[in-house]
């Protein structure tokens, strides 16, 4: 499963489980793409029988391979440091 199939599958899973409405499909896909720093989307059929764990594994692997986890971790650490120095975290 490639990243586009994983995104389509995750959106399908969300609809199937009642987590999102059909009319929110494009918005949800676009939000996932933003988080993954994807500028375009290749149409891909969802793997309708895919397990959530498998879908998320593909997405996490993509994020790790593209340095997205490191960027998010750095942002969290920086935010925590800023909060500590501003007195918000004492």
């Amino acid at each position: 499963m490639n990243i586009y199939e994983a995104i389509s599958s995750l959106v399908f899973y969300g609809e199937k489980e009642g987590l999102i409405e059909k009319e929110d499909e494009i918005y949800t896909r676009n939000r996932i793409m933003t988080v993954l720093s994807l500028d375009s989307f290749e149409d891909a059929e969802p793997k309708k029988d895919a397990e959530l764990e498998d879908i998320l594994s593909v997405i996490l692997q993509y994020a790790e391979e593209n340095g997205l986890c490191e960027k998010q971790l750095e942002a969290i650490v920086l935010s925590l440091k800023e909060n500590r120095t501003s007195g918000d975290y004492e």
Side-chain angles (χ1 to χ4, degrees), residues 3 14-15 22 25 33 38 45 47-48 50 54 85-86:
I3 189 61
E15 288 177 32
K22 178 71 174 165
E25 179 181 319
M33 289 174 54
L38 290 168
E45 286 294 315
K47 304 289 185 189
K48 296 180 179 182
D54 296 332
T85 59
S86 69

Side-chain angles (χ1 to χ4, degrees), residues 45-60:
E45 286 294 315
K47 304 289 185 189
K48 296 180 179 182
D49 59 345
E51 296 290 328
L52 180 60
E53 182 178 310
D54 296 332
I55 297 167
L56 296 177
S57 178
V58 171
I59 293 172
L60 180 58

Side-chain angles (χ1 to χ4, degrees), residues 10-22:
L10 184 58
V11 172
F12 174 82
Y13 179 88
E15 288 177 32
K16 179 179 77 171
E17 295 298 317
L19 302 171
I20 64 169
E21 301 294 326
K22 178 71 174 165

Side-chain angles (χ1 to χ4, degrees), residues 3 7 9 14-15 17 19-20 29-30 35 39 42 47 51-53 56 62 66 68 73 76 78 80 90:
I3 189 61
I7 293 170
S9 298
E15 288 177 32
E17 295 298 317
L19 302 171
I20 64 169
R29 184 190 71 209
N30 289 344
V35 170
D39 295 326
E42 295 177 14
K47 304 289 185 189
E51 296 290 328
L52 180 60
E53 182 178 310
L56 296 177
Y62 175 88
N66 289 278
L68 299 173
L73 183 57
I76 290 168
L78 180 61
L80 290 173
E90 295 180 334

